[in-house]
Amino acid sequence: MRVLFATSEAYPLIKTGGLADVSGALPKAISQLSTFNGDIKLVMPGYSAVLAKLKNIETIANINVLGETCSILIGKMPDTNLDVIAIKNAALYERAGGPYSDENGKDWLDNALRFGVLSRVASLLCSTNSPLTDWQPDLIQCNDWQTGLTPAYMKLIDNSTTKSIFSIHNLAFQGNFHANWLTRLELPAAHFQINGFEYYEQISFLKAGLFYADQLSTVSPTYAEEIQSESFGFGFQGLLQTRSDDLTGILNGIDIQEWNPETDVHLTKNYSNQRITGKSTVKKMLQQQLGLQIDANAPLLGIVSRLTHQKGLDLLPSIMPQLVNQGCQFVILGSGDKVLEASFTDLAERFPNQVSMNIGYHEHLSHNIMAGSDVFIMPSRFEPCGLNQLYGLAYGTPPIVTPTGGLADSVTDTNSMTFKDNSATGFVLKTVSSASLLVTIQRALETWKSKTDWRRIQKNGMNREVSWAFSAQLYLDLYEKTLLTE
Ligand code: ADP
């Protein structure tokens, strides 16, 4: 089976969030399955970081795509043998700033073209008699709006025999662009309509993926249900309901080569479920490094997140003073909403021994927060899967979460029953509100006071299967099902 995995980011080449983690880990996990007999390659933009990190780069073709001259390169992922096809066009992809936005966080104005080119190259790789290579995949997995036009090009222009899956990592990001882009994107105008890629008079890359792909997947079973409702569907619930039979929810795993407290290279001290003492050393070093009071008896609550409405962290500042007065410490790592950044910064100035606010993106610090904190807070309003709560489980840092999406599918609330049968792994809010968050944190702190009870919850989480092996097999099953579609 030949599989092409189309994505706009993949760890360790380039990462802004969970999509990169999945793109780095899932193809690798599938290629390692004993049940997979085939070849899987990635295709992505040749950002500067990607070109710098890929090994053994060769040029396979030079081609004009949507009016842009591109070199199609092939190289190897560092540390694995996976092939990555990178699109080199310096003007489009080799810029200072992020993959989607400039240094001030403003979306690039030509994102329609940048990801139109990515989508078009991916479709060309899937065409019979491809001008790029004779390696035609049997199946392509497209991920999020950046690759949403691929299934449309395949069906409407190339008449491709390759089957397609469109995977939704977050329905909030839709890639909607002005209809003026139609010609430049070489999209057939006849399909700019409700039964096509039109969405409220705009071109929607996301809708194109949802409408034209042979099968759809998303990153947790609960999110697969939620997005068919008005509250979570962002206007796509009708389309998703009609495609309900083609939609599969598969919970993400974690890359245990990167996220394993026993081997994590970022940690000041490694530890395991059997020998957990190293965790308190990481906590101590973290408190020291961040200028917090060094105190093993002060519960340390950790947060690593994009600071956006989705993540619900605006529920926290109003209840922090009360928790700080009770002796809690907080470490926050993230950036985004400026008002929220300022609230956390104010609290860190008011309580310098107990609150540490770190604005920015720091892989190393994020691992130490995950390991050194006692609990991890993630009160998302919606969460397609979420990875941080899975890292929390694996690191003996029970998560406090809302009952939505992948959080609902991966964290079991602690109560007398779940405690008794050893299924309790964290603490779940009843509603998305500051009051509910406060009550739930207090509940966790009560349990934390008994070290033996806490240890039991940590053990349950650390014993939970969160590696990719299981989910990778579910994707392979979906690949096989997709190959059988008409
Ligand atoms: P999302 O993709 O919605 O941002 P996920 O929980 O699925 O949320 O994945 C977030 C990923 O990005 C995790 O690997 C998390 O550790 C990482 N991350 C988020 N913010 C930061 C940050 N400021 N510094 C380092 N890593 C971060």
Side-chain angles (χ1 to χ4, degrees):
M1 188 193 297
R2 287 174 170 180
V3 180
L4 183 62
F5 191 94
T7 184
S8 56
E9 50 181 283
Y11 184 85
L13 302 173
I14 180 122
K15 166 170 166 179
T16 71
L19 173 60
D21 287 337
V22 176
S23 303
L26 174 59
K28 183 166 77 178
I30 290 175
S31 69
Q32 288 167 354
L33 286 174
S34 59
T35 43
F36 179 67
N37 180 9
D39 181 14
I40 181 159
K41 299 187 198 301
L42 279 81
V43 58
M44 66 187 300
Y47 311 113
S48 310
V50 171
L51 301 180
K53 290 182 193 166
L54 279 180
K55 307 276 175 232
N56 309 333
I57 297 182
E58 287 171 29
T59 302
I60 54 174
N62 292 299
I63 186 170
N64 189 292
V65 184
L66 307 183
E68 295 292 319
T69 307
C70 300
S71 293
I72 309 300
L73 314 177
I74 192 160
K76 299 266 182 214
M77 267 290 190
D79 305 331
T80 67
N81 249 347
L82 278 190
D83 283 328
V84 178
I85 297 170
I87 308 162
K88 181 170 168 60
N89 177 308
L92 288 182
Y93 303 126
E94 292 166 58
R95 300 175 177 177
Y100 317 117
S101 51
D102 65 18
E103 285 151 315
N104 301 315
K106 212 169 152 293
D107 280 355
W108 297 113
L109 293 175
D110 57 351
N111 272 346
L113 181 64
R114 298 173 72 241
F115 297 106
V117 168
L118 170 62
S119 295
R120 187 69 187 112
V121 169
S123 70
L124 287 171
L125 287 163
C126 296
S127 60
T128 324
N129 304 322
S130 167
L132 303 180
T133 151
D134 53 12
W135 185 88
Q136 187 189 352
D138 302 299
L139 181 136
I140 181 167
Q141 181 175 354
C142 301
N143 295 279
D144 272 354
W145 74 265
Q146 293 87 347
T147 53
L149 287 187
T150 303
Y153 288 129
M154 289 167 67
K155 286 248 156 77
L156 300 176
I157 301 180
D158 300 331
N159 212 0
S160 174
T161 52
T162 300
K163 300 292 181 197
S164 60
I165 297 173
F166 181 73
S167 298
I168 306 158
H169 298 263
N170 194 337
L171 207 61
F173 305 125
Q174 306 176 350
N176 297 330
F177 300 99
H178 197 280
N180 286 349
W181 282 102
L182 266 180
T183 316
R184 188 69 209 273
L185 293 172
E186 297 176 11
L187 288 166
H191 298 270
F192 184 61
Q193 50 141 312
I194 186 157
N195 286 312
F197 47 78
E198 183 260 355
Y199 177 72
Y200 292 99
E201 292 168 25
Q202 291 193 301
I203 301 166
S204 169
F205 280 43
L206 176 70
K207 187 177 168 201
L210 299 179
F211 190 83
Y212 292 104
D214 294 312
Q215 286 287 314
L216 306 175
S217 77
T218 189
V219 288
S220 69
T222 296
Y223 194 60
E225 291 298 319
E226 287 174 341
I227 54 179
Q228 296 179 52
S229 71
E230 200 178 329
S231 325
F232 293 91
F234 287 97
F236 295 101
Q237 61 274 12
L239 173 56
L240 287 162
Q241 283 161 21
T242 64
R243 299 222 54 189
S244 185
D245 289 347
D246 302 330
L247 173 61
T248 309
I250 301 175
L251 197 68
N252 286 335
I254 67 175
D255 186 342
I256 49 170
Q257 276 167 20
E258 296 293 331
W259 290 94
N260 177 352
E262 260 184 282
T263 52
D264 189 329
V265 291
H266 295 286
L267 301 189
T268 39
K269 182 99 184 140
N270 289 109
Y271 62 92
S272 67
N273 205 2
Q274 287 69 40
R275 286 178 59 87
I276 198 145
T277 47
K279 185 168 167 68
S280 48
T281 312
V282 184
K283 174 173 173 179
K284 189 172 167 191
M285 299 296 286
L286 190 63
Q287 287 174 323
Q288 187 173 25
Q289 182 201 336
L290 299 173
L292 297 171
Q293 190 172 351
I294 298 174
D295 182 357
N297 294 318
L300 178 56
L301 289 75
I303 291 151
V304 180
S305 184
R306 291 184 292 118
L307 300 178
T308 63
H309 186 70
Q310 174 194 342
K311 301 293 178 180
L313 289 162
D314 50 296
L315 304 175
L316 194 56
S318 66
I319 59 171
M320 276 171 67
Q322 181 179 342
L323 290 161
V324 164
N325 286 332
Q326 272 177 244
C328 289
Q329 297 186 352
F330 289 87
V331 48
I332 301 137
L333 168 62
S335 62
D337 184 304
K338 297 296 163 206
V339 177
L340 195 50
E341 283 181 8
S343 313
F344 286 130
T345 304
D346 282 352
L347 285 156
E349 281 166 7
R350 263 173 76 192
F351 306 107
N353 295 328
Q354 286 173 272
V355 179
S356 165
M357 173 57 179
N358 306 270
I359 298 177
Y361 191 94
H362 304 288
E363 195 72 31
H364 178 79
L365 180 57
S366 76
H367 284 245
N368 281 284
I369 292 176
M370 203 48 84
S373 303
D374 294 299
V375 288
F376 191 83
I377 300 182
M378 202 165 169
S380 306
R381 291 192 166 81
F382 66 94
E383 194 59 74
C385 176
L387 290 168
N388 277 320
Q389 85 281 9
L390 300 177
Y391 301 148
L393 295 174
Y395 279 63
T397 311
I400 292 180
V401 301
T402 35
T404 186
L407 302 176
D409 290 335
S410 58
V411 179
T412 305
D413 188 44
T414 301
N415 57 41
S416 53
M417 230 167 64
T418 59
F419 185 78
K420 214 188 267 164
D421 70 14
N422 283 332
S423 59
T425 54
F427 299 86
V428 182
L429 277 70
K430 290 234 168 1
T431 58
V432 185
S433 66
S434 292
S436 184
L437 180 57
L438 180 61
V439 169
T440 313
I441 293 176
Q442 300 284 25
R443 203 152 57 82
L445 295 176
E446 250 340 280
T447 315
W448 189 71
K449 282 187 192 151
S450 159
K451 295 299 164 218
T452 46
D453 287 1
W454 193 256
R455 186 70 198 97
R456 186 152 156 183
I457 296 166
Q458 282 180 311
K459 267 195 179 147
N460 294 343
M462 293 176 94
N463 281 332
R464 201 174 179 283
E465 175 59 76
V466 286
S467 81
W468 264 108
F470 183 69
S471 297
Q473 182 58 50
L474 297 179
Y475 272 99
L476 186 53
D477 295 345
L478 176 62
Y479 288 179
E480 273 155 9
K481 174 179 167 188
T482 307
L483 290 178
L484 297 176
T485 54
E486 285 301 316

Short mmCIF file of all heavy atoms in Angstrom, two decimals, residues 15 17-18 21 259 304-306 310-311 333-334 360-363 366 378 383 386-388 391, ligand 1:
data_model
loop_
_atom_site.label_atom_id
_atom_site.label_comp_id
_atom_site.label_asym_id
_atom_site.label_seq_id
_atom_site.Cartn_x
_atom_site.Cartn_y
_atom_site.Cartn_z
N LYS A 15 6.81 23.06 13.85
CA LYS A 15 5.65 22.78 14.70
C LYS A 15 5.03 24.05 15.23
O LYS A 15 5.72 24.93 15.72
CB LYS A 15 6.09 21.89 15.86
CG LYS A 15 5.09 21.79 17.01
CD LYS A 15 5.46 20.73 18.02
CE LYS A 15 4.67 20.87 19.31
NZ LYS A 15 4.97 19.85 20.30
N GLY A 17 1.65 23.32 16.66
CA GLY A 17 0.67 22.72 17.57
C GLY A 17 0.53 21.23 17.34
O GLY A 17 1.42 20.58 16.77
N GLY A 18 -0.62 20.72 17.78
CA GLY A 18 -0.85 19.28 17.77
C GLY A 18 -0.74 18.63 16.39
O GLY A 18 -0.32 17.47 16.28
N ASP A 21 2.65 17.34 15.85
CA ASP A 21 2.93 16.13 16.63
C ASP A 21 2.36 14.91 15.92
O ASP A 21 3.01 13.87 15.81
CB ASP A 21 2.31 16.25 18.04
CG ASP A 21 3.07 17.24 18.93
OD1 ASP A 21 4.26 17.49 18.65
OD2 ASP A 21 2.48 17.76 19.88
N TRP A 259 7.99 11.77 24.21
CA TRP A 259 7.26 12.07 25.44
C TRP A 259 7.20 10.84 26.33
O TRP A 259 6.19 10.14 26.37
CB TRP A 259 5.86 12.57 25.10
CG TRP A 259 5.85 13.93 24.48
CD1 TRP A 259 5.83 14.23 23.15
CD2 TRP A 259 5.85 15.19 25.17
NE1 TRP A 259 5.83 15.58 22.97
CE2 TRP A 259 5.84 16.21 24.19
CE3 TRP A 259 5.87 15.57 26.51
CZ2 TRP A 259 5.85 17.57 24.50
CZ3 TRP A 259 5.86 16.93 26.82
CH2 TRP A 259 5.85 17.91 25.83
N VAL A 304 0.42 24.54 29.66
CA VAL A 304 1.17 24.79 28.42
C VAL A 304 0.12 24.86 27.33
O VAL A 304 -0.58 23.87 27.08
CB VAL A 304 2.16 23.65 28.09
CG1 VAL A 304 2.91 23.94 26.79
CG2 VAL A 304 3.13 23.41 29.24
N SER A 305 -0.01 26.02 26.68
CA SER A 305 -1.15 26.13 25.75
C SER A 305 -1.06 27.34 24.85
O SER A 305 -0.42 28.33 25.20
CB SER A 305 -2.43 26.25 26.58
OG SER A 305 -3.55 26.28 25.77
N ARG A 306 -1.70 27.24 23.72
CA ARG A 306 -2.02 28.45 22.98
C ARG A 306 -3.03 29.20 23.84
O ARG A 306 -3.94 28.58 24.43
CB ARG A 306 -2.67 28.11 21.64
CG ARG A 306 -1.73 27.46 20.65
CD ARG A 306 -2.40 27.23 19.29
NE ARG A 306 -3.45 26.22 19.35
CZ ARG A 306 -4.74 26.45 19.08
NH1 ARG A 306 -5.15 27.64 18.72
NH2 ARG A 306 -5.63 25.48 19.15
N GLN A 310 -10.62 29.09 22.65
CA GLN A 310 -10.84 27.63 22.65
C GLN A 310 -10.34 26.98 23.94
O GLN A 310 -10.98 26.09 24.49
CB GLN A 310 -10.11 26.99 21.45
CG GLN A 310 -10.19 25.46 21.48
CD GLN A 310 -9.22 24.77 20.52
OE1 GLN A 310 -8.69 25.38 19.59
NE2 GLN A 310 -8.98 23.49 20.74
N LYS A 311 -9.19 27.42 24.41
CA LYS A 311 -8.52 26.72 25.51
C LYS A 311 -9.09 27.03 26.89
O LYS A 311 -8.71 26.39 27.87
CB LYS A 311 -7.01 27.00 25.47
CG LYS A 311 -6.35 26.56 24.15
CD LYS A 311 -6.35 25.04 23.98
CE LYS A 311 -5.74 24.61 22.66
NZ LYS A 311 -5.74 23.15 22.48
N LEU A 333 2.90 28.51 30.48
CA LEU A 333 3.71 28.72 29.27
C LEU A 333 2.76 28.83 28.09
O LEU A 333 1.94 27.92 27.87
CB LEU A 333 4.67 27.53 29.06
CG LEU A 333 5.37 27.48 27.70
CD1 LEU A 333 6.27 28.69 27.47
CD2 LEU A 333 6.20 26.19 27.57
N GLY A 334 2.85 29.92 27.36
CA GLY A 334 1.97 30.05 26.20
C GLY A 334 1.97 31.46 25.67
O GLY A 334 2.57 32.36 26.24
N GLY A 360 5.67 32.73 25.17
CA GLY A 360 6.51 32.26 24.06
C GLY A 360 6.31 30.77 23.84
O GLY A 360 5.39 30.16 24.40
N TYR A 361 7.15 30.24 23.00
CA TYR A 361 7.05 28.82 22.64
C TYR A 361 8.38 28.15 22.98
O TYR A 361 9.41 28.49 22.41
CB TYR A 361 6.77 28.69 21.14
CG TYR A 361 6.39 27.29 20.77
CD1 TYR A 361 5.06 26.90 20.70
CD2 TYR A 361 7.37 26.33 20.53
CE1 TYR A 361 4.71 25.60 20.41
CE2 TYR A 361 7.03 25.03 20.24
CZ TYR A 361 5.70 24.68 20.18
OH TYR A 361 5.36 23.38 19.90
N HIS A 362 8.39 27.28 23.99
CA HIS A 362 9.64 26.65 24.44
C HIS A 362 9.43 25.16 24.64
O HIS A 362 8.81 24.75 25.62
CB HIS A 362 10.11 27.27 25.75
CG HIS A 362 10.29 28.75 25.69
ND1 HIS A 362 11.31 29.35 25.01
CD2 HIS A 362 9.55 29.76 26.20
CE1 HIS A 362 11.20 30.67 25.11
NE2 HIS A 362 10.13 30.94 25.81
N GLU A 363 9.96 24.39 23.70
CA GLU A 363 9.80 22.93 23.76
C GLU A 363 10.40 22.38 25.08
O GLU A 363 9.75 21.62 25.79
CB GLU A 363 10.52 22.33 22.55
CG GLU A 363 10.17 20.89 22.24
CD GLU A 363 8.78 20.67 21.66
OE1 GLU A 363 8.25 21.56 20.97
OE2 GLU A 363 8.20 19.60 21.94
N SER A 366 8.42 23.22 28.14
CA SER A 366 7.13 22.53 28.15
C SER A 366 7.27 21.10 28.71
O SER A 366 6.43 20.63 29.46
CB SER A 366 6.49 22.52 26.76
OG SER A 366 7.09 21.57 25.92
N MET A 378 -6.44 22.10 31.86
CA MET A 378 -6.82 22.20 30.44
C MET A 378 -8.34 22.33 30.31
O MET A 378 -9.01 21.36 29.92
CB MET A 378 -6.31 20.93 29.75
CG MET A 378 -6.13 21.07 28.27
SD MET A 378 -5.15 19.69 27.66
CE MET A 378 -5.39 19.93 25.90
N GLU A 383 -12.25 20.66 22.26
CA GLU A 383 -10.90 20.10 22.11
C GLU A 383 -10.97 18.86 21.22
O GLU A 383 -11.40 17.79 21.65
CB GLU A 383 -10.35 19.72 23.49
CG GLU A 383 -8.86 19.44 23.50
CD GLU A 383 -8.03 20.64 23.01
OE1 GLU A 383 -7.91 21.63 23.75
OE2 GLU A 383 -7.56 20.56 21.86
N GLY A 386 -6.55 16.99 21.72
CA GLY A 386 -5.71 17.48 22.81
C GLY A 386 -4.60 16.49 23.05
O GLY A 386 -4.84 15.27 23.09
N LEU A 387 -3.39 16.99 23.14
CA LEU A 387 -2.26 16.10 23.40
C LEU A 387 -1.74 16.29 24.81
O LEU A 387 -1.28 15.37 25.45
CB LEU A 387 -1.13 16.38 22.40
CG LEU A 387 -1.45 15.95 20.97
CD1 LEU A 387 -0.44 16.52 20.00
CD2 LEU A 387 -1.48 14.43 20.87
N ASN A 388 -1.86 17.53 25.30
CA ASN A 388 -1.25 17.81 26.60
C ASN A 388 -1.83 16.97 27.73
O ASN A 388 -1.11 16.58 28.64
CB ASN A 388 -1.38 19.29 26.92
CG ASN A 388 -0.27 20.07 26.23
OD1 ASN A 388 0.85 19.63 26.18
ND2 ASN A 388 -0.60 21.24 25.71
N TYR A 391 -0.03 13.76 27.55
CA TYR A 391 1.31 13.88 28.13
C TYR A 391 1.19 13.89 29.66
O TYR A 391 1.99 13.26 30.37
CB TYR A 391 2.02 15.17 27.68
CG TYR A 391 2.19 15.31 26.18
CD1 TYR A 391 2.17 16.55 25.55
CD2 TYR A 391 2.38 14.19 25.38
CE1 TYR A 391 2.33 16.69 24.19
CE2 TYR A 391 2.54 14.32 24.00
CZ TYR A 391 2.51 15.57 23.41
OH TYR A 391 2.66 15.69 22.06
P1 ADP B 1 -3.43 22.52 19.85
O1 ADP B 1 -2.93 21.72 18.70
O2 ADP B 1 -4.88 22.87 19.78
O3 ADP B 1 -2.59 23.73 20.15
P2 ADP B 1 -2.77 20.18 21.47
O4 ADP B 1 -2.91 19.90 22.94
O5 ADP B 1 -3.37 19.18 20.55
O6 ADP B 1 -3.33 21.64 21.19
O7 ADP B 1 -1.23 20.27 21.10
C1 ADP B 1 -0.45 21.31 21.53
C2 ADP B 1 1.00 20.93 21.33
O8 ADP B 1 1.77 22.13 21.26
C3 ADP B 1 1.56 20.14 22.48
O9 ADP B 1 2.63 19.35 22.02
C4 ADP B 1 2.05 21.26 23.40
O10 ADP B 1 3.02 20.81 24.31
C5 ADP B 1 2.59 22.23 22.42
N1 ADP B 1 2.60 23.61 22.87
C6 ADP B 1 1.56 24.49 22.90
N2 ADP B 1 1.97 25.70 23.32
C7 ADP B 1 3.29 25.59 23.56
C8 ADP B 1 4.30 26.51 24.03
N3 ADP B 1 4.02 27.78 24.33
N4 ADP B 1 5.56 26.05 24.14
C9 ADP B 1 5.86 24.77 23.84
N5 ADP B 1 4.97 23.86 23.41
C10 ADP B 1 3.69 24.27 23.27
#
